[in-house]
Amino acid sequence: MFLWGTATAAYQIEGATGEDGRGASVWDTFSHEPGRTKGGQTGDVACDHYHRWPEDVALMAGLGVNAYRFSIAWPRVLPQGSGQVNAPGLDFYDRLVDALLAAGIQPVPTLFHWDLPQALEERGGWLDRDVCALFADYAAVVAGRLADRVPLWITLNEPFVHMAYGYAMGLHAPGRTLMTGALPAAHHQLLAHGLAVQALRSAGARQVALTNNCTPVWPASREEPDVRAADAYDVLHNRLFNDPVLRGEYPDLSAYTPALDFVRDGDLKTIAAPLDALGVNYYNPTRIAAPTGDGLPFDDAGVTGFPTTAFGWPVVPDGLRELLTGLKARYGAALPPILITENGCSQEDVPAADGTIDDAARVDFLDRHIAAMRRAMAEGVDVRGYFVWSLLDNFEWAEGYDQRFGLVHVDFETQRRTPKRSYHWFAEFLKGQNTDT
Ligand code: FCB
């Protein structure tokens, strides 16, 4: 069955951050620090999904999706990151899973979408190797409860973005600015993934995947310094997170670090445990030029000549085909089936006087990206699912509530949900799909 779904993440939609025994996460801390997010916005309430989930499941049932990718908040299940399990937190996801199944929607949980328990941040966060084993313990707790009903699991969401934004540049929680000193946070996330694969399988999980953010990398010119810089960027963004998992080895990281002294014997074997699928999040390509001197071996030259989203991200549907066929060319038989675990765009989405939201640009975006995915499939890439980011407008991290990605509009004053034109378009589209292929 081809999975057609929508995607969300816990901190971006749940709210209820202080309820029913949930512990604090790095995003609670970070978003409450002055100047970290636009307008000082936080996920304290977000879409209030923790209370309104039945309405949100009904919206998905109305849409006609057969899958839903959501994330589980580690600090809701284990408030201190390890030790005492918080039963109400686990009960929440248990109820959600049952409601999804009753609506004919396959639950696809992600175990880590950036909301590390604050208690673990205090011991070093992803710079602390011990957190890897604690993640596997957490995975075992959740799967112990849900694996009888959840066939497909995703360990981590976008370890690249978490490393780069959270540990290198300080734009996301936990707000560290280590630049290349952030590399251990990559390795430890990958090791945590590998250990969690084992824990999930032991607890009865049938299928396990990892979601990576991938981007086609375009050199700004054919000149050798630009081509070399583009290659260095490709190593950091794509290969650093795909090579160890699919090939059991790191790419040449000498442009970034003299030695991989945080990698221990046996780690790569753990990281390379076979997967049932690779989750790919695609938003746009990246254009790279030779470095200008800030210490990194590349410079982001910006993609020009394409329309942009409200975020300013270039809209390049064929980049998805290029990315998928590129993965197949690079990894060959080692590439597992692919799930597009996120794809979507932010738009202004101002309701008209009659309350409707005519997000024609999002309809066009989705239509053209799905077509590009199908071109890749026709070229031999085994794609098994496509998830729109996102079901609801939500807390877009450092951008707060300004960037709206939803098929469903959320009025954050009243929590009123209004399906946009793209929701109705996607519902019609899904009616025409044969989900067996
Ligand atoms: C991805 C994140 C997701 C959302 C989209 C727009 O990088 O995984 O949470 O913020 O971008």
Side-chain angles (χ1 to χ4, degrees):
M1 183 176 77
F2 193 91
L3 300 180
W4 290 105
T6 57
T8 62
Y11 190 72
Q12 295 181 275
I13 65 164
E14 284 181 0
T17 48
E19 262 177 72
D20 289 346
R22 177 187 178 278
S25 78
V26 291
W27 265 99
D28 296 286
T29 309
F30 183 81
S31 65
H32 280 271
E33 286 168 7
R36 294 297 204 178
T37 66
K38 210 168 224 178
Q41 289 166 341
T42 74
D44 288 1
V45 178
C47 305
D48 195 31
H49 171 79
Y50 189 73
H51 300 115
R52 293 168 197 264
W53 60 271
E55 183 182 353
D56 297 336
V57 173
L59 282 164
M60 282 186 274
L63 191 54
V65 289
N66 61 17
Y68 173 45
R69 175 175 179 244
F70 59 99
S71 85
I72 292 180
W74 186 347
R76 225 182 251 298
V77 175
L78 290 154
Q80 298 302 312
S82 62
Q84 190 66 38
V85 174
N86 178 42
L90 213 40
D91 290 347
F92 168 70
Y93 297 108
D94 194 279
R95 286 193 297 272
L96 178 64
V97 161
D98 281 346
L100 289 166
L101 291 171
I105 300 167
Q106 178 179 316
V108 184
T110 298
L111 288 166
F112 180 70
H113 200 126
W114 306 347
D115 45 0
L116 192 79
Q118 181 64 29
L120 300 186
E121 170 61 16
E122 264 135 48
R123 52 190 286 177
W126 287 114
L127 300 174
D128 176 13
R129 188 180 165 97
D130 293 344
V131 169
C132 306
L134 298 179
F135 180 67
D137 293 347
Y138 153 61
V141 167
V142 180
R145 179 71 174 270
L146 301 178
D148 57 336
R149 284 155 290 154
V150 168
L152 169 62
W153 295 77
I154 297 173
T155 54
L156 310 176
N157 179 70
E158 298 187 351
F160 167 74
V161 175
H162 193 52
M163 173 200 74
Y165 282 52
Y167 285 81
M169 298 187 290
L171 302 170
H172 280 182
R176 300 192 194 213
T177 48
L178 300 170
M179 298 311 279
T180 54
L183 281 172
H187 181 63
H188 293 148
Q189 286 184 84
L190 288 167
L191 180 60
H193 155 78
L195 293 170
V197 172
Q198 292 170 10
L200 287 167
R201 295 212 194 278
S202 309
R206 275 163 279 161
Q207 294 180 295
V208 185
L210 163 74
T211 280
N212 274 335
N213 180 299
C214 300
T215 183
V217 183
W218 298 347
S221 79
R222 291 193 184 167
E223 301 297 321
E224 210 268 334
D226 288 342
V227 172
R228 196 161 2 108
D231 189 54
Y233 188 79
D234 183 38
V235 162
L236 187 68
H237 191 132
N238 298 311
R239 294 187 54 194
L240 173 57
F241 297 90
N242 287 326
D243 281 17
V245 172
L246 302 178
R247 286 186 175 153
E249 62 190 24
Y250 276 112
D252 177 5
L253 291 165
S254 55
Y256 297 100
T257 182
L260 300 181
D261 46 12
F262 41 84
V263 181
R264 296 197 191 156
D265 281 356
D267 286 1
L268 281 157
K269 190 158 182 287
T270 303
I271 293 169
L275 292 181
D276 301 286
L278 178 68
V280 169
N281 292 353
Y282 171 72
Y283 288 94
N284 51 256
T286 309
R287 191 162 152 266
I288 293 294
T292 48
D294 65 356
L296 291 170
F298 59 81
D299 200 38
D300 188 340
V303 172
T304 50
F306 291 87
T308 53
T309 69
F311 226 134
W313 297 354
V315 178
V316 187
D318 197 58
L320 179 55
R321 184 203 57 79
E322 181 185 334
L323 175 66
L324 295 173
T325 55
L327 284 169
K328 170 110 178 159
R330 180 171 279 167
Y331 297 105
L335 186 69
I338 287 185
L339 298 166
I340 309 302
T341 39
E342 286 180 30
N343 179 233
C345 61
S346 64
Q347 301 292 345
E348 299 287 338
D349 295 340
V350 182
D354 65 356
T356 58
I357 297 123
D358 186 0
D359 57 339
R362 180 170 292 103
V363 170
D364 187 56
F365 182 101
L366 297 174
D367 192 26
R368 292 170 62 202
H369 281 78
I370 290 169
M373 171 182 77
R374 287 186 159 152
R375 289 199 294 280
M377 292 165 80
E379 289 181 42
V381 184
D382 184 3
V383 184
R384 305 270 179 99
Y386 175 91
F387 294 75
V388 176
W389 183 271
S390 180
L391 172 66
L392 304 167
D393 293 340
N394 59 47
F395 177 73
E396 179 46 38
W397 309 114
E399 295 295 319
Y401 295 95
D402 287 5
Q403 297 298 334
R404 294 180 175 272
F405 278 87
L407 296 173
V408 176
H409 181 272
V410 177
D411 178 330
F412 292 105
E413 297 295 312
T414 62
Q415 290 297 341
R416 182 156 179 229
R417 276 96 161 115
T418 308
K420 303 177 192 174
R421 175 165 150 196
S422 58
Y423 173 99
H424 300 295
W425 172 84
F426 198 42
E428 276 310 306
F429 168 86
L430 291 174
K431 278 185 199 149
Q433 299 313 305
N434 175 1
T435 50
D436 293 333
T437 56

